[in-house]
Amino acid sequence: MILWLAPEMLFWERMCRAMSRGLISLLLSLLLMSCSENKSLAHQQIDLSPVPNHFIVESDTVLIDLTASILHWKGTKMSGAGKHEGEIMLQDGYLLQSKNELVGGAFEIDMNSITVNDIPIHEPVPRKRLTNHLKSDDFFDVETYPTATFQILDLATLAYDSLEVNGLLTMKDITIPITFSAIRVRNTFTAHVMIDRFQWNIAYEGNWLDRTFVDPEFELRIKLIAE
């Protein structure tokens, strides 16, 4: 009896093993199919459509002649009873042009280049004293903030030679939007910009009297020449 049962038990043991292997294979197949379906669904949720053409502006870069371009500054005090003025040089700059129309640009101003020209050259001591005071932390603090920047955000044509410029002016790590008009004559752009210097903390603030001693208006006359 024992010799007759042994083959039967061996048969059922082999069948169980085969069924187990088949069940495992089936489960693995189902699992792989599930992963594949999930991957396909996840891939469908990714938007791979191209950027619409109207969001892309093809433009040419026009460099600025840094030696010929200039920023003339003017600050007043005691409600215009006194004034000082001078110049600041550009450090870098470019314009973006598309189909002969300006569409953008950016400029970097070298604040360490600020000069005073309303004190005669033959009076070097007061001229140097004022220049150093403007560079100090009482005003522009050029050691901490050696550059200022202006980035054009938008340009609108007002007339044949007149533009409205909207952009961001950054001085002493303070960024504020400004708007002004500019005149274009061939490759030369001129503008007259008035800003409130107190918004950029450009004021001598030793005490209340010092702050009221200077006027908040700060004038910039800009001349840019494109190469």
Side-chain angles (χ1 to χ4, degrees):
M1 178 69 68
I2 294 176
L3 293 175
W4 180 78
L5 288 175
E8 184 178 4
M9 293 178 64
L10 183 60
F11 169 78
W12 285 111
E13 182 180 357
R14 290 176 177 174
M15 286 292 294
C16 289
R17 290 179 180 176
M19 291 176 64
S20 297
R21 287 195 296 269
L23 182 59
I24 292 172
S25 299
L26 179 61
L27 290 174
L28 286 174
S29 298
L30 292 174
L31 180 61
L32 290 173
M33 290 176 61
S34 176
C35 291
S36 177
E37 291 177 359
N38 290 338
K39 183 177 180 181
S40 298
L41 291 174
H43 189 70
Q44 291 174 7
Q45 294 173 359
I46 300 174
D47 184 10
L48 298 177
S49 58
V51 178
N53 290 332
H54 62 274
F55 285 116
I56 301 175
V57 177
E58 294 184 0
S59 59
D60 298 320
T61 300
V62 180
L63 297 180
I64 297 299
D65 187 336
L66 302 178
T67 57
S69 302
I70 195 69
L71 276 70
H72 185 94
W73 66 269
K74 178 182 176 182
T76 61
K77 56 186 178 180
M78 296 181 294
S79 300
K83 70 171 181 64
H84 284 297
E85 56 188 296
E87 296 179 345
I88 315 175
M89 300 298 294
L90 287 177
Q91 184 168 293
D92 201 358
Y94 65 89
L95 294 169
L96 296 177
Q97 186 170 273
S98 177
K99 298 179 181 178
N100 205 34
E101 295 289 336
L102 291 179
V103 294
F107 312 97
E108 190 172 71
I109 305 164
D110 180 7
M111 298 309 301
N112 198 52
S113 71
I114 190 168
T115 61
V116 176
N117 61 14
D118 66 328
I119 299 178
I121 297 178
H122 64 265
E123 298 181 16
V125 174
R127 188 182 179 108
K128 184 176 181 180
R129 183 185 298 120
L130 178 56
T131 301
N132 290 338
H133 195 194
L134 291 172
K135 293 180 179 182
S136 74
D137 55 7
D138 285 337
F139 289 95
F140 292 101
D141 193 4
V142 300
E143 183 175 351
T144 307
Y145 311 102
T147 60
T149 60
F150 179 69
Q151 180 183 4
I152 298 174
L153 298 180
D154 182 62
L155 287 156
T157 301
L158 301 178
Y160 173 75
D161 60 351
S162 180
L163 301 168
E164 182 180 78
V165 183
N166 296 284
L168 298 175
L169 177 60
T170 301
M171 293 190 293
K172 300 180 73 172
D173 275 356
I174 300 173
T175 301
I176 299 175
I178 63 172
T179 299
F180 57 90
S181 298
I183 302 297
R184 178 181 186 178
V185 180
R186 293 186 292 276
N187 67 331
T188 300
F189 302 84
T190 56
H192 182 201
V193 183
M194 297 293 294
I195 63 173
D196 182 349
R197 72 170 91 187
F198 291 165
Q199 291 185 318
W200 287 269
N201 292 332
I202 303 170
Y204 185 25
E205 299 184 36
N207 53 49
W208 178 82
L209 181 61
D210 291 329
R211 186 174 179 87
T212 57
F213 185 70
V214 297
D215 298 332
E217 293 81 13
F218 190 77
E219 178 183 345
L220 288 172
R221 284 188 280 121
I222 304 167
K223 181 181 180 180
L224 299 178
I225 299 179
E227 292 184 348

